């Protein structure tokens, strides 16, 4: 959530920033300010009544001890009025707080000053690229055909067991998955990220804390009996490690990495672009998460982008980096960079990573704070990135390195897989 004090102090800046998302937020922001003013007015009146009631209670005791019963009776009558008023004001305050919360939950994060306005992915900025897209013949096989030819991924068996979007990896295909996970984790830990193994299911509070709820509720698998959600990314449980935590300024930043399977309903996804590994309901991903001092979060964002770039280069995958426009960013993000690798057979770019700075948006929901040198509690900034999501990386590795008979793996993976070719 946006911070109320920021809305009060910087209304015009926030409204202007939200226009980058194609959101005319002036009316909504005004409603927040009005609701906040009403809430504070009720709180003030409630506090005054409670103070008066406490004062009367002390006076009544003194008057009764002095035998001044008539005066005590008058104050007791006033106390009864105050008691009714306090009950009514308490109910009004609860309603005002809930109304204010609902308004705040409807507002996405305000984009950074570097984010450009735009309506869709067509308006994203290409800020960097690496490598030359491989030129394959027109009859080059897409990865799903290569996988079938080499018998390393069985999409039909996954449909039989579960449904579409749940592939079965076999033989060297399964070993490649395991090798990539181990390599990504090792790459991240060498860069100072502490490896953790989080739960694969989270409660509602965790989904709310990172902004998946209520924004992405329809995209998450929900176990109604246990009131748990299957995680769409390790970001959710790992960032929620810090819910209701106060860190010391000297501890920052905290940098974590985790491997998890990820589960996404991907409701409404269809067409040629979801074939094979392009879009799945269950997939493997290694994530990096950082908790930062507000003054250093954008430097850390740049470091994380360079980190992911280095990982893709080590795999020899041609990629480009896009800074997302306001209209294509996630609800909770203040700035996001997407990494796309070139799929030579499909002749298109495939997203394999998003690296985002959420500033204090998630931390405000999480009540994740740090104590600064002046002893004040301040909100942290949170960041995360895919390092990396496996399916489209595997798709690109298969398509870009297939010679018609075998797939030649990047040298960096040989010690992890135990083999250099598939086929």
């Amino acid at each position: 959530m946006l911070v109320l004090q920021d809305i009060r102090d910087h209304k015009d800046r926030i409204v202007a920033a939200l226009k980058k998302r194609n959101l005319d937020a002036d009316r909504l922001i005004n409603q927040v300010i009005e609701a906040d003013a009403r809430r504070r007015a009720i709180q003030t009146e409630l506090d005054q009544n409670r103070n008066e009631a406490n004062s009367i209670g002390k006076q009544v005791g003194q008057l009764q001890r002095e035998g001044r019963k008539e005066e005590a009776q008058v104050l007791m009558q006033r106390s009864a009025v105050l008691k009714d008023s306090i009950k009514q004001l308490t109910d009004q305050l609860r309603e005002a707080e809930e109304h204010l919360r609902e308004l705040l939950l409807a507002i996405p994060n305000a984009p950074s000053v570097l984010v450009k306005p735009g309506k869709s992915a067509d308006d994203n900025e290409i800020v960097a690229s690496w490598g030359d897209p491989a030129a394959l013949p027109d009859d080059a096989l897409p990865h799903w055909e290569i996988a079938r030819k080499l018998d390393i991924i069985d999409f039909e068996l996954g449909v039989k067991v579960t449904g579409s979007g749940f592939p079965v990896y076999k033989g060297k295909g399964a070993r490649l998955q395991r090798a990539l996970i181990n390599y990504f984790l090792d790459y991240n830990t060498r860069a100072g990220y502490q490896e953790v193994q989080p739960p694969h299911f989270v409660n509602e509070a965790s989904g709310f804390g990172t902004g998946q709820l209520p924004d992405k509720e329809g995209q998450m698998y929900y176990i109604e009996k246990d009131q748990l959600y299957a995680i769409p990314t390790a970001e959710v449980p790992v960032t929620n490690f810090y819910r209701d935590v106060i860190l010391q300024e000297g501890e920052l930043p905290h940098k974590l990495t985790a491997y998890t399977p990820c589960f996404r309903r991907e409701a409404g996804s269809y067409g040629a672009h979801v074939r094979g590994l392009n879009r799945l309901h269950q997939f493997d991903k290694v994530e990096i998460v950082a908790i930062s001092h507000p003054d250093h979060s954008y430097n850390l964002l740049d470091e994380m982008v360079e980190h992911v770039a280095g990982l893709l280069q080590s795999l020899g995958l041609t990629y480009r980096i896009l800074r997302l426009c306001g209209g294509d960013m996630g609800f909770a993000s203040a700035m996001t960079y997407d990494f796309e690798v070139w799929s030579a057979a499909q002749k298109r770019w495939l997203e394999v990573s998003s690296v985002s700075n959420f500033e204090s948006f998630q931390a405000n929901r999480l009540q994740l704070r740090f104590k600064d040198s002046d002893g004040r509690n301040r909100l942290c900034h949170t960041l995360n990135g895919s390092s990396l999501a496996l399916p489209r990386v595997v798709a690109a590795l298969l398509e870009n390195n297939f010679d018609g008979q075998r797939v030649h793996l990047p040298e960096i993976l040989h010690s992890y897989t135990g083999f250099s070719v598939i086929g």
Side-chain angles (χ1 to χ4, degrees):
M1 288 186 296
L2 293 176
V3 177
L4 261 175
Q5 191 63 49
D6 290 343
I7 293 176
R8 295 188 203 114
D9 296 344
H10 307 291
K11 171 197 166 184
D12 292 341
R13 177 179 63 78
I14 290 173
V15 169
L18 290 171
K19 283 184 179 179
K20 296 179 181 181
R21 291 182 176 270
N22 308 299
L23 175 63
D24 186 359
D26 189 66
R27 179 170 174 272
L28 183 54
I29 294 296
N30 281 333
Q31 287 179 328
V32 168
I33 292 173
E34 291 169 4
D36 181 45
R38 170 170 167 73
R39 176 190 64 84
R40 287 187 292 158
I42 295 171
Q43 183 71 68
T44 298
E45 186 176 357
L46 178 58
D47 290 343
Q48 290 172 344
N49 283 4
R50 283 173 173 164
N51 290 336
E52 185 180 352
N54 289 336
S55 176
I56 286 175
K58 295 176 183 178
Q59 292 178 57
V60 166
Q62 181 64 30
L63 290 171
Q64 287 178 334
R65 284 191 295 273
E66 296 174 357
R68 298 158 65 183
K69 294 184 178 180
E70 291 184 3
E71 294 177 60
Q73 186 63 33
V74 171
L75 289 180
M76 290 171 64
Q77 290 173 353
R78 173 59 180 165
S79 179
V81 171
L82 287 172
K83 184 177 180 180
D84 289 340
S85 177
I86 288 170
K87 183 180 182 304
Q88 293 175 16
L89 288 169
T90 300
D91 292 340
Q92 291 174 22
L93 181 62
R94 187 182 304 111
E95 292 173 2
E97 288 174 338
E98 182 59 29
H99 177 57
L100 178 59
R101 182 176 181 273
E102 290 175 358
L103 290 173
L104 287 169
L105 288 177
I107 305 173
N109 202 355
S112 162
V113 293
L114 293 178
V115 173
K116 303 297 183 183
K119 295 183 178 179
S120 69
D122 294 335
D123 300 315
N124 294 335
E125 302 175 86
I126 300 174
V127 297
S129 61
W130 184 87
D132 297 316
L136 298 183
D138 290 339
D139 61 350
L141 295 180
H143 67 271
W144 53 87
E145 295 292 347
I146 297 171
R148 181 180 293 109
K149 181 181 179 72
L150 301 179
D151 194 28
I152 57 174
I153 306 174
D154 195 326
F155 294 99
E156 289 74 19
L157 184 57
V159 171
K160 174 185 176 180
V161 172
T162 307
S164 62
F166 296 89
V168 174
Y169 300 88
K170 303 165 59 178
K172 287 187 174 181
R175 289 173 65 184
L176 176 59
Q177 288 284 112
R178 178 157 48 91
L180 287 169
I181 291 166
N182 287 337
Y183 172 53
F184 295 166
L185 286 170
D186 286 350
Y187 185 90
N188 295 342
T189 55
R190 284 195 295 268
Y193 292 87
Q194 180 187 28
E195 182 179 350
V196 294
Q197 191 174 74
H200 299 166
F201 299 88
V202 294
N203 55 31
E204 183 178 358
S206 294
F208 172 81
T210 46
Q212 274 68 32
L213 300 176
D215 180 52
K216 296 182 177 66
E217 188 168 7
Q219 294 294 323
M220 298 173 70
Y221 286 99
Y222 180 56
I223 304 171
E224 185 173 0
K225 183 176 180 179
D226 302 295
Q227 297 183 320
L228 295 175
Y229 293 85
I231 62 169
T233 167
E235 166 206 345
V236 181
V238 174
T239 308
N240 271 279
F241 290 173
Y242 296 92
R243 178 159 32 100
D244 298 320
V245 169
I246 300 177
L247 301 170
Q248 297 300 314
E249 187 171 21
E251 297 180 53
L252 300 173
H254 280 217
K255 298 166 66 176
L256 305 177
T257 186
Y259 153 70
T260 64
C262 303
F263 305 90
R264 300 183 186 181
R265 293 185 63 243
E266 298 287 3
S269 299
Y270 60 91
H273 287 181
V274 304
R275 291 198 64 180
L277 298 172
N278 288 342
R279 184 160 295 173
L280 302 175
H281 295 303
Q282 177 183 324
F283 61 94
D284 293 314
K285 181 158 67 80
V286 176
E287 191 81 356
I288 50 177
V289 171
I291 310 300
S292 174
H293 190 290
D295 295 347
H296 308 309
S297 66
Y298 277 94
N299 289 334
L300 185 52
L301 177 65
D302 291 341
E303 290 177 16
M304 294 170 72
V305 168
E306 288 299 315
H307 176 80
V308 174
L311 182 52
L312 288 171
Q313 289 175 26
S314 74
L315 295 172
L317 292 176
T318 296
Y319 68 83
R320 65 182 188 180
I321 306 174
L322 296 87
R323 183 159 56 212
L324 301 193
C325 70
D328 197 35
M329 285 201 315
F331 184 86
S333 177
M335 182 184 289
T336 295
Y337 291 95
D338 272 5
F339 283 78
E340 297 179 338
V341 297
W342 178 248
S343 169
Q346 298 180 75
K347 295 181 173 58
R348 69 188 191 93
W349 295 96
L350 303 175
E351 180 194 331
V352 294
S353 175
S354 286
V355 184
S356 300
N357 187 349
F358 302 95
E359 296 186 359
S360 61
F361 193 85
Q362 289 181 331
N364 192 27
R365 289 170 169 243
L366 295 161
Q367 283 302 289
L368 163 55
R369 294 158 291 173
F370 71 97
K371 191 173 292 292
D372 68 13
S373 56
D374 295 325
R376 297 175 302 166
N377 290 337
R378 298 172 56 190
L379 291 172
C380 297
H381 280 192
T382 62
L383 306 92
N384 69 40
S386 308
S387 183
L388 295 157
L390 269 69
R392 294 169 189 167
V393 168
V394 171
L397 286 173
L398 295 181
E399 293 180 6
N400 297 357
N401 297 295
F402 185 60
D403 65 5
Q405 297 297 322
R406 302 190 298 177
V407 173
H408 299 266
L409 295 176
E411 184 176 354
I412 193 70
L413 293 179
H414 295 177
S415 62
Y416 285 90
T417 58
F419 50 84
S420 61
V421 296
I422 301 176

